[in-house]
Amino acid sequence: MTYRIAPSILSADFSRLGQEVRDVIAAGSDWIHFDVMDNHYVPNLTFGPMVCAALKPHARTPSGEAVPIDVHLMVQPVDALAAAFADAGADLISFHPDASAHVHRSIQAIRAKGCKAGLVFNPAQPLDVLDWVIEDIDLILIMSVNPGFGGQGFIDSALRKVEAARRRIQASGKDIRLEVDGGIKVDNIRRVADAGADTFVAGSAIFGRPDYRAVIDAMRAALAPAAG
Ligand code: DX5
Ligand code: ZN
């Protein structure tokens, strides 16, 4: 299993985002998680495609390798902003199916732009829509907090949902990443992985500490087989 750690810049210092992106990549991030909130679908407001475009050149390792930008859209409606983020350099774009009137169309629109497409499930949202679209997506994102804010506590029922999503991925035979978002820390990441997740968003756990590398290294150590 290749695990990926995706720091959420929601908890970064917004006055110096470019440097924060470079620093957290230098500390070992696999992806950069970009939380887009519209004060409509969720009661908070963050950043739009212009900020994504501005950060794109910073999303590189010190040796120049591109690091994927993982856009998590908490917006309603979805399609126009998804297209704008594709143009702004997003590599993966995920949206909440309950925020789109036409989920299949939104997925196709994201893929037509050359991006990977993901579906995001809130804590009380069932996975049923996957019956019809799992063949068409690249990523499932399970929310382990209610979307809108960083720094909330992990909701345990997300573990059962991760297990259910992993079963669906296995049954599909497709190469689909299973990401979990919200309340992930060094001391619970292993449980989330054991439930079947392979990609971990972490905002406050990483940006809330002065040494990003120490946190990311501790997460990887917790994920290493010996730690199980
Ligand atoms: C919440 C966001 C998360 C958030 C996670 O709506 O989707 O990505 O940044 O933050 P932590 O890791 O602090 O729970
Ligand atoms: Zn997120």
Side-chain angles (χ1 to χ4, degrees), residues 12 14 37 54 67 86 89 101 111 125 171 180 182 221:
F14 281 13
M37 304 186 186
V67 172
R111 288 187 135 188
Q125 193 76 19
V180 179

Side-chain angles (χ1 to χ4, degrees), residues 8 33-35 72 74 141 143 181 201:
S8 164
H33 186 80
F34 194 96
D35 285 306
H72 172 192
M74 287 159 272
L141 175 50
M143 293 306 299
D181 185 359
V201 177

Side-chain angles (χ1 to χ4, degrees), residues 1-5 30-31 92 94 116-119 137-142 165-166 169 174-180 196-200:
M1 178 71 76
T2 310
Y3 292 122
R4 291 197 168 92
I5 296 182
D30 298 298
W31 292 358
L92 306 102
S94 301
K116 293 193 175 333
L119 286 180
I137 60 174
D138 305 286
L139 174 83
I140 296 170
L141 175 50
I142 304 296
R166 175 54 68 192
I169 291 170
K174 296 268 174 186
D175 179 21
I176 297 170
R177 296 216 68 90
L178 181 48
E179 185 175 30
V180 179
D198 54 41
T199 303
F200 308 89

